[in-house]
Amino acid sequence: MNTTEKNILIADFLEIQKLKQLYCPICPTTGITLFLEKENLIFHLDWNWLIEVVEKIEILGFYFEIKRNWVKITKNKEIILVRWEDDRKKIEAVYNACVDFVNWYNENKA
């Protein structure tokens, strides 16, 4: 699965419509907010976007723990997933854990 497919998976999880008004990190000083196609989403690059995913996971009753390049997601003390990214940035570990979680959630939701 490529980055665009992963971002679309996340957008679907967040129930983002085809077009959504989102903060644009490229133009913060202009105050302009862009309308972006799902194919141009940047969950993998921007903490402002990625935190929405983490927050939704927590709203669903899961505990999201982040330490350096390591992520653990649990529910009721049961480990759902652990993601370790050797020599990668923290955002990559969190992003990949979110993608893994969404795949797991889609397969296991009742």
Side-chain angles (χ1 to χ4, degrees), residues 19-37:
L19 292 173
K20 182 180 180 189
Q21 193 172 8
L22 295 166
Y23 168 76
C24 174
I26 300 165
C27 50
T29 57
T30 64
I32 296 171
T33 304
L34 298 179
F35 286 92
L36 298 173
E37 298 284 338

Side-chain angles (χ1 to χ4, degrees), residues 69-100:
N69 53 350
W70 175 86
V71 176
K72 179 169 73 171
I73 302 173
T74 59
K75 185 168 188 173
N76 301 327
K77 298 185 181 182
E78 177 187 347
I79 296 174
I80 303 303
L81 75 87
V82 174
R83 181 74 189 217
W84 174 269
E85 296 288 345
D86 215 15
D87 298 327
R88 296 206 182 198
K89 295 179 184 176
K90 183 182 287 190
I91 194 168
E92 292 178 44
V94 174
Y95 173 74
N96 288 325
C98 286
V99 170
D100 290 348

Side-chain angles (χ1 to χ4, degrees), residues 12 17 21 25 29 34-35 40 42 48 56 60 62 69 72 80-81 99 102 106 109-110:
D12 290 341
Q17 303 303 314
Q21 193 172 8
T29 57
L34 298 179
F35 286 92
N40 297 325
I42 55 171
N48 293 310
K56 174 147 185 192
L60 291 171
F62 295 87
N69 53 350
K72 179 169 73 171
I80 303 303
L81 75 87
V99 170
V102 172
N106 288 340
K109 66 183 172 187

Side-chain angles (χ1 to χ4, degrees), residues 35-79:
F35 286 92
L36 298 173
E37 298 284 338
K38 279 187 179 179
E39 293 75 17
N40 297 325
L41 296 173
I42 55 171
F43 294 103
H44 62 294
L45 296 175
D46 190 290
W47 281 110
N48 293 310
W49 289 42
L50 193 54
I51 198 66
E52 287 187 47
V53 187
V54 173
E55 288 174 347
K56 174 147 185 192
I57 292 169
E58 291 178 335
I59 287 169
L60 291 171
F62 295 87
Y63 179 73
F64 203 105
E65 185 177 353
I66 305 167
K67 292 187 179 183
R68 294 193 183 183
N69 53 350
W70 175 86
V71 176
K72 179 169 73 171
I73 302 173
T74 59
K75 185 168 188 173
N76 301 327
K77 298 185 181 182
E78 177 187 347
I79 296 174

